[in-house]
Structure formats: C-alpha cells, structure tokens
Amino acid sequence: PFLQSTGLVGLAVSENPHERLRILYTKILGVLQNIPKDAAYRKYTEQIVNERFSLVQNETDVQKLQDKLNSGQIEEVIVQAENELSLARKMIQWKPWEPLVEEPPADQWRWPI
Amino acid sequence: TVRPKNEVEQKQLCAFGEYVAEILPKYIQQVQVTCFNELELLIHPDGIIPVLTFLRDHTNAQFKSLADLTAVDVPSRQYRFEIVYNLLSLRFNSRIRVKTYTDELTPLDSAVSVHKAANWYEREVWDMYGVFFANHPDLRRILTDYGFEGHPFRKDFPLSGYVEV
C-alpha cells in the first residue's frame, strides 16, 4: 500500500504502521504479564509477538516488512494484532489453562454408537 | 479408485490439534483427525465462546469464517444433541470442526457474538431440533409452518409428521 489503497474493502492505508504495531505489541505483552507464567497460551503468544516485534523494529521498509512477515498487507497485520490484544484480554477472564471443567459421559463421543 | 493418503497434511493437522489442546485444556475433551484429513475438536458446552473466539482471533489460527452450524441427534446418549461448527481459515486455507453436546433442556451459548453468520443457523437448529441458544438476538422458527408443533429433525419425529395434510 502506498498513496493509493490497500486493495481491500474497508481497510484504509495507514501511515506509520511501525508506530501502530509497536504500540499494539507492547500492549499485548503488557496484558500477557497478567497470565500465569506456565500457561501455554502465554508462552506461544509471547513467542509470536516477540518474533513479529523484532521484525518490525529491524525492517523500516514497508514492502520488505510485508514480505518478511508473510501475512498479507500491513493493515491486515495491524488488524490481526488488534484481534490478538482483545483475545488476550478475554483470556484473562476465561482462564483456559486450568484443567478440564468436566469429563463427558463415557459413550458421548463414541462413533459408531 | 481410492484417494491417496496425504501424510504431510495429516501430520500438520495432528500438530495443530495438539497445539490447540495445549492452549485450551479447560474446555477441549478430545481432538481427532479423520483419515480424510479433517481436524475435529470435541468441546465441553461451557467453552463454546472461548474456543470460537480463540480460533477466530489467534494469529496461528485465523478461522474467520463460520461455514456451517448443525446438530446431530443421537437419542441413545444422555446428551442427545451434538452441535457441530465448521470453521474455515482464509489465511492458512484450512478447515476445522468444533463439536459440543447438550440435551433437550440445557441452553447453549449463542455463537452470534463471535460469528454473525451463526444467526440463521442457530434459528434453524432451534426450529428443527429444539436446542435453545442463550443470548441469541432473535430466536424463532425459520423453516417450519407458523403454528407447527414439534421439532422435525429429531429421530423420534415420524417421517410424515403428526398432522394430516
């Protein structure tokens, strides 16, 4: 995207995407601190976010950054980071790293019956 | 002719299934991959919204599209209805199936807050099977006639119905 449009309906071109991504990734990492350290979600999400964060900081050219991230347009990457942030906030309430809530009845998932 | 087995895709799906099961152990009861390379997650009914939001929002699993929402009636089980969600990821070009269970009287959480597409599908499941969805914006009959009583797709509903036409 430069000067014209992203090519996607409803997504405007963002000027200084690096700044926006930097803010979003720091916010995500801050939210992740509230999850217990041994939760798998925290481990994997921190890995993804740190990887993308380092790529964003080292690469100033937008086109090359898009190729390196290999995840569609930069605006899509920004939308994905916003989604990840809202997911992290919801995960704090749901706490999915605890053990299983309830075992199913023994024949529930047996197929054929 | 027999479809050739795609071992690579099978391994990738197994690995992804284990990844999701590691992140959400609170709700996922079982994970299975069929021989046709279809990944299925078997969920406790409390975990519908957390699991669907996770699959929609997480970077490694952007399943933004709800392709289908159906139910299966197995009358011999204690929880006779099995609700099935089929999701599609456009970024990674892969599909996943999420299954939950309920009986006739327990309400389920509506998926409309996660996927707007679930609106009419849940109306259809309510109309045809009688599975009530809590927090649905507009749960009413969609396919049966206006004064129709009964839930047609249940296994104990006769083929030609109760009312003479």
Side-chain angles (χ1 to χ4, degrees):
Chain A
F2 302 91
L3 306 165
Q4 324 95 327
S5 70
T6 51
L8 301 161
V9 177
L11 262 191
V13 182
S14 79
E15 54 278 318
N16 50 6
H18 295 85
E19 184 62 29
R20 183 95 184 101
L21 280 173
R22 191 182 60 84
I23 300 174
L24 281 169
Y25 287 145
T26 19
K27 273 192 189 169
I28 295 178
L29 288 171
V31 168
L32 285 179
Q33 301 298 330
N34 294 338
I35 305 184
K37 197 118 183 43
D38 57 352
Y41 176 68
R42 173 169 173 169
K43 212 168 43 177
Y44 290 120
T45 321
E46 274 183 347
Q47 190 185 350
I48 299 173
V49 166
N50 285 330
E51 215 177 289
R52 292 197 166 191
F53 204 173
S54 61
L55 278 176
V56 162
Q57 280 170 329
N58 296 342
E59 184 65 61
T60 36
D61 180 29
V62 175
Q63 196 58 30
K64 286 213 199 96
L65 180 56
Q66 272 174 204
D67 295 330
K68 274 195 185 164
L69 284 173
N70 195 20
S71 178
Q73 303 267 16
I74 278 283
E75 285 74 20
E76 286 180 324
V77 175
I78 296 177
V79 166
Q80 182 55 43
E82 285 162 2
N83 287 348
E84 191 74 58
L85 179 59
S86 84
L87 179 67
R89 287 187 179 135
K90 290 175 192 169
M91 284 298 200
I92 296 184
Q93 290 171 342
W94 291 326
K95 305 196 203 336
W97 47 85
E98 291 165 1
L100 193 57
V101 167
E102 196 189 342
E103 286 286 337
D107 61 344
Q108 181 64 40
W109 296 123
R110 177 150 35 109
W111 191 261
I113 314 175
Chain B
T1 50
V2 179
R3 181 201 285 202
K5 268 187 101 94
N6 190 347
E7 287 294 344
V8 174
E9 197 181 347
Q10 185 115 10
K11 280 208 183 55
Q12 282 172 340
L13 287 175
C14 283
F16 182 68
E18 285 164 9
Y19 172 75
V20 182
E22 197 187 335
I23 293 192
L24 300 164
K26 188 173 178 186
Y27 302 114
I28 298 187
Q29 288 159 354
Q30 219 177 305
V31 176
Q32 51 200 37
V33 180
T34 41
C35 61
F36 317 107
N37 297 342
E38 293 168 1
L39 179 57
E40 300 183 357
L41 298 177
L42 309 180
I43 307 283
H44 184 272
D46 286 345
I48 297 181
I49 298 193
V51 171
L52 288 178
T53 356
F54 172 80
L55 290 173
R56 185 190 60 158
D57 287 340
H58 190 66
T59 331
N60 274 353
Q62 297 168 21
F63 289 96
K64 305 270 184 213
S65 173
L66 177 74
D68 198 11
L69 208 185
T70 21
V72 184
D73 180 19
V74 187
S76 57
R77 292 182 184 161
Q78 182 196 350
Y79 294 102
R80 70 188 282 197
F81 298 116
E82 194 182 288
I83 313 292
V84 180
Y85 300 81
N86 284 313
L87 300 165
L88 165 67
S89 164
L90 302 159
R91 169 73 56 208
F92 300 116
N93 188 20
S94 87
R95 295 179 181 263
I96 197 171
R97 199 174 300 145
V98 177
K99 290 199 195 185
T100 339
Y101 53 80
T102 184
D103 55 12
E104 291 147 2
L105 300 172
T106 327
L108 281 183
D109 282 323
S110 174
V112 167
S113 51
V114 182
H115 288 104
K116 286 278 182 300
N119 201 321
W120 277 18
Y121 286 124
E122 288 184 347
R123 272 177 68 185
E124 186 196 351
V125 167
W126 156 249
D127 195 14
M128 294 289 130
Y129 290 93
V131 179
F132 186 75
F133 290 94
N135 304 325
H136 185 101
D138 188 19
L139 195 65
R140 53 195 157 98
R141 61 174 74 251
I142 191 172
L143 289 171
T144 49
D145 196 7
Y146 289 105
F148 196 88
E149 285 162 10
H151 295 284
F153 281 3
R154 291 191 178 179
K155 293 284 195 267
D156 46 6
F157 192 91
L159 185 57
S160 37
Y162 291 119
V163 177
E164 187 184 321
V165 153

